[in-house]
Amino acid sequence: MLLAVTAVVVALGLRPDPLLLAQRHTAAEARPGGGAPLPGRAGFAAALREVRASRTGTLALTALVLAHVAMVSVMTMTPVHLAHLGHGVAVVGLTISLHVLGMFALAPAVGAAADRFGQVPTILAGQVVLVGAAAVNLLGAGDTAAVATGLFLLGLGWSVVTVPAATLLSESVPARSRPLVQGTGDGLMNAAAAIGAIVSGPLLAVAGFPGLAVVSAMCVVPVVVLAARARRASTRRA
């Protein structure tokens, strides 16, 4: 029943059809002067060349990867930290549930904000939320309520960054290369998150949960620098 309802909503609600729009854009770019489609065997290096050719594309990909690293590295070690505080499955489950709620519950509102205020300002707002989450986890590492609050903010910050950054990445490259670039972006996000999850264990053992929070906050710095450079470049062109 749920699948049937979903199919009806998708069929009636996705107007115009995103696939048809993408096909039209690709056909337009295939015309003389519009750029030839990327070869079918184009890979990772080709996708990165497409992204590097755009300041906003570089910003978007960096924001996606680092927000994912910050989120995954802290999230994976939170159950361990809560166990160190003496809590069991109930508290751990509630905390992670709040985190997941922050990740997805407000995504439609984040999308609306990106449409209204712009993708780059929304990405920067997400950096503020991520820093706020890190501050709460740093200062309240020994308090269960603070950790739960920090995890909710961490999920929310991830959402506020990821929703506009994914759109900005797609819009920053030609339609012919969007599937390749989007796939490469997803791959980089997951690879970086896997590394972050592996490193976060030893980091927790050495620096504790506060140290992990500081490292997650540092992920904001490259994004802010790239946003400032993109802004200066657009100001000079104007």
Side-chain angles (χ1 to χ4, degrees):
M1 180 64 181
L2 181 59
L3 290 176
V5 172
T6 302
V8 171
V9 171
V10 170
L12 297 179
L14 287 181
R15 292 290 183 273
D17 191 319
L19 175 59
L20 294 179
L21 286 178
Q23 289 172 340
R24 290 170 192 158
H25 283 299
T26 302
E29 291 192 353
R31 299 189 190 110
L38 289 179
R41 299 179 69 179
F44 180 74
L48 289 185
R49 283 195 298 271
E50 293 283 343
V51 173
R52 284 200 300 267
S54 167
R55 286 185 181 273
T56 55
T58 302
L59 167 63
L61 183 58
T62 303
L64 282 170
V65 170
L66 291 182
H68 210 54
V69 170
M71 185 272 290
V72 171
S73 60
V74 175
M75 179 193 68
T76 53
M77 288 299 105
T78 298
V80 178
H81 176 62
L82 290 173
H84 288 167
L85 294 179
H87 297 294
V89 174
V91 172
V92 171
L94 178 60
T95 301
I96 299 301
S97 296
L98 288 173
H99 172 68
V100 174
L101 182 70
M103 289 176 66
F104 299 112
L106 297 178
V110 173
D115 288 339
R116 180 172 181 180
F117 301 109
Q119 291 147 349
V120 174
T122 307
I123 290 171
L124 291 176
Q127 306 306 307
V128 174
V129 179
L130 289 175
V131 170
V136 172
N137 287 327
L138 171 64
L139 300 175
D143 182 78
T144 306
V147 172
T149 302
L151 262 288
F152 173 79
L153 291 175
L154 180 64
L156 179 61
W158 176 89
S159 179
V160 176
V161 173
T162 301
V163 172
T167 304
L168 182 61
L169 178 63
S170 178
E171 293 179 352
S172 298
V173 298
R176 61 189 171 85
S177 58
R178 284 173 188 168
L180 176 65
V181 168
Q182 289 172 340
T184 299
D186 289 345
L188 284 174
M189 286 173 63
N190 291 322
I195 294 172
I198 293 171
V199 173
S200 63
L203 183 59
L204 179 69
V206 173
F209 201 67
L212 192 58
V214 171
V215 172
S216 71
M218 292 173 61
C219 292
V220 167
V221 176
V223 178
V224 174
V225 171
L226 289 173
R229 289 178 179 174
R231 181 179 178 83
R232 285 197 299 268
S234 63
T235 301
R236 286 196 297 267
R237 286 196 299 269

